[in-house]
Structures are given as structure tokens and as C-alpha cells.
Amino acid sequence: MAVLLDGDESEPPDRFPAGPLYVPVRPGPNGYGYVVRLFRSPLGVRTTVGFTCERRLTATLGPGQRWIRLAEPALRAMTAPLGITTVTVDPLFAAPPPAPTPVPAPAPVTTPASASTVALLTT
């Protein structure tokens, strides 16, 4: 374990594996198997996500989220060919997917009022 002697560093210089993680998955192509879900950080960087316990995964992504157990090095090896080098462990918040934008209703067609309608409105 790294010992921090200088109070300026907030993280140890070495990256240690997080161990077995609960990794969110989604159904694969044509419903065959599962694939690891990819996410974006608040800054828009693509990342994989792993949770240290099922309770944290459920609290963040909901009870219907499927998952598999993967070691952190295996998760990195799976996503490295995609250019994803970040693994986020135990994120506290996940934004829901965007809701579909409703199609605006067409504006009502207005026709000029007849003279009798105008007369009724002004009296």
C-alpha cells in the first residue's frame, strides 16, 4: 500500500484493481447474450461502470438493471479496444435516459370571422 507523505496528493500514485465488480449489462445484438453497458462521465468521457455491491447498483440504476460479476482488470481488457480506459466505481448518480420529444400538435387553422359573428361579439 502506498503511504502518502505529502499532504498535497489526494490519491495514491499507483492504481490498484478494485476487485470483483457488479457490472451493468444490456441484452446483446438480436437478444443473444449480454454486453457491458457504457456510460458517459459528467464531462462526456466514455466510461464503464462497476459497483462494489449489488445494493449500490440497484440504488443507482434501479432494481430491473441486469448485471454480471467481472474483475476490474477483465472489465478494462474488454473495453480497451473501444478506446475506453476509465472505470468508474460506485457512481452515486445516473441520469435517466432522455424522454422522447413529443411531436407538437399542429396549430389550429383560423378563418376570418363572418360579419354576423363580429356583430355579435361587439354588442
Side-chain angles (χ1 to χ4, degrees):
M1 176 179 238
V3 177
L4 299 177
L5 299 176
D6 186 24
D8 292 338
E9 293 193 41
S10 61
E11 295 185 23
D14 298 324
R15 182 173 65 186
F16 296 101
L21 298 170
Y22 293 82
V23 179
V25 295
R26 62 177 178 79
N30 299 323
Y32 179 75
Y34 293 98
V35 295
V36 173
R37 281 187 62 188
L38 302 178
F39 295 84
R40 290 199 181 267
S41 72
L43 298 176
V45 177
R46 292 173 70 195
T47 182
T48 57
V49 171
F51 294 87
T52 54
C53 66
E54 185 179 356
R55 180 185 54 79
R56 289 183 177 178
L57 179 139
T58 301
T60 303
L61 299 175
Q65 176 60 57
R66 295 183 181 190
W67 53 268
I68 59 171
R69 292 277 289 185
L70 278 177
E72 183 261 347
L75 182 56
R76 286 186 186 278
M78 289 175 67
T79 57
L82 302 172
I84 300 170
T85 58
T86 305
V87 174
T88 304
V89 178
D90 289 331
L92 298 177
F93 175 73
T101 306
V103 177
V109 177
T110 57
T111 57
S114 66
S116 61
T117 306
V118 174
L120 291 174
L121 293 175
T122 57
T123 58

